[in-house]
Amino acid sequence: MERLKNKPLLKGAFCITTFIFWTILIQTVDVQPVGVNETDVGFAALNCRFHRMTGTNMTLYLITDWLGLVPVFLCMAFATLGLIQWIKRKNLLQVDADILLLGIYYVIVIFAYLIFEMVPINYRPILIAGRMEASYPSSTTLLVLSVMPTLLFQADRRLKNTSARNIIRIFTIFFSTFMVIGRLLSGVHWFTDIVGSVMLSAGLFYTYKAFVLSYGRKKQ
C-alpha cells in the first residue's frame, strides 16, 4: 500500500525534474534569434522545422483558446462543491481533504502560469493582436493537462456508476488529446513549448495525486 502511495510522488518528482532540465536545455541548446523581432529561441532548428511544417492556423487557435474555458469551468465546479461542503459542515477543515488539496493544487497551477508570464523563456512564433506574448510553457496546454486529469481522478473516487466513469474517461482523453494536438498544429507555439507543458502538468498532477492518496480521505 505504501508503494502505491509513493509511486505517483516518484512520477511527479521525475516529471518536474525533467521539466527543469528541459527548461535549462531550451535556454542553452541551439539558441538562435529566429523568433519574432529576432528574439532567441532554443532548439531553433527543431522548432523552426516543425513550425514550417504546421504553418499557422488561427481558426484552430481560436477554437482551442475558447475550449480552454472548459477546465476553468471545471475548477469552478469543484470550488462550488467545496463551498457547499463548507456551508453544510460549518467548518472548512471538515471539507473533504481531497477537495481542499485540489484547491491548493489549482492555486499552484495558476502560480506556475504567472511565473512564466512574468519571466518569459521565449515568445510565440507569431504576434497575437500585434503583440509579443510569452510562449513557454503553453499556458492552455498546461491548464488542460493539469485540470482534466483531476476530473477523471475525482470521478473514479466519487462515482459508483461504471458507465458514468467510462464516459468521463473517454471525454477527458479525447478532449485533452484534441487540445494538445490543436495547440501544436495551430502554430502559435513552438514545439518545445508544448513538450514543456506536458512535463510540468504531469509532474504537478502526480504530486497532487500522491498527496491525496496519503492524506485525502473523504469525510463520511
Side-chain angles (χ1 to χ4, degrees), residues 66-136:
W66 280 104
L67 286 177
L69 291 174
V70 171
V72 174
F73 288 135
L74 185 58
C75 292
M76 294 170 62
F78 280 120
T80 301
L81 173 61
L83 180 61
I84 291 171
Q85 289 186 1
W86 186 7
I87 292 171
K88 283 185 176 180
R89 298 168 184 175
K90 299 180 174 61
N91 187 336
L92 179 61
L93 297 180
Q94 290 301 310
V95 174
D96 289 348
D98 60 336
I99 296 298
L100 289 175
L101 288 169
L102 188 59
I104 296 170
Y105 169 68
Y106 287 159
V107 170
I108 292 172
V109 172
I110 293 170
F111 184 66
Y113 162 76
L114 290 176
I115 287 177
F116 287 102
E117 284 293 309
M118 292 185 293
V119 186
I121 303 299
N122 56 33
Y123 293 91
R124 293 183 189 271
I126 62 171
L127 296 174
I128 301 295
R131 295 180 302 170
M132 292 172 57
E133 292 187 357
S135 184
Y136 179 88

Side-chain angles (χ1 to χ4, degrees), residues 46-61 125-126 180-191 194:
L46 169 64
N47 278 317
C48 289
R49 190 179 305 118
F50 189 83
H51 190 255
R52 284 195 299 268
M53 184 176 69
T54 61
T56 303
N57 188 324
M58 293 307 293
T59 300
L60 194 54
Y61 163 70
I126 62 171
V180 173
I181 294 175
R183 294 310 271 190
L184 268 173
L185 299 182
S186 67
V188 297
H189 282 286
W190 301 109
F191 176 77
I194 305 296

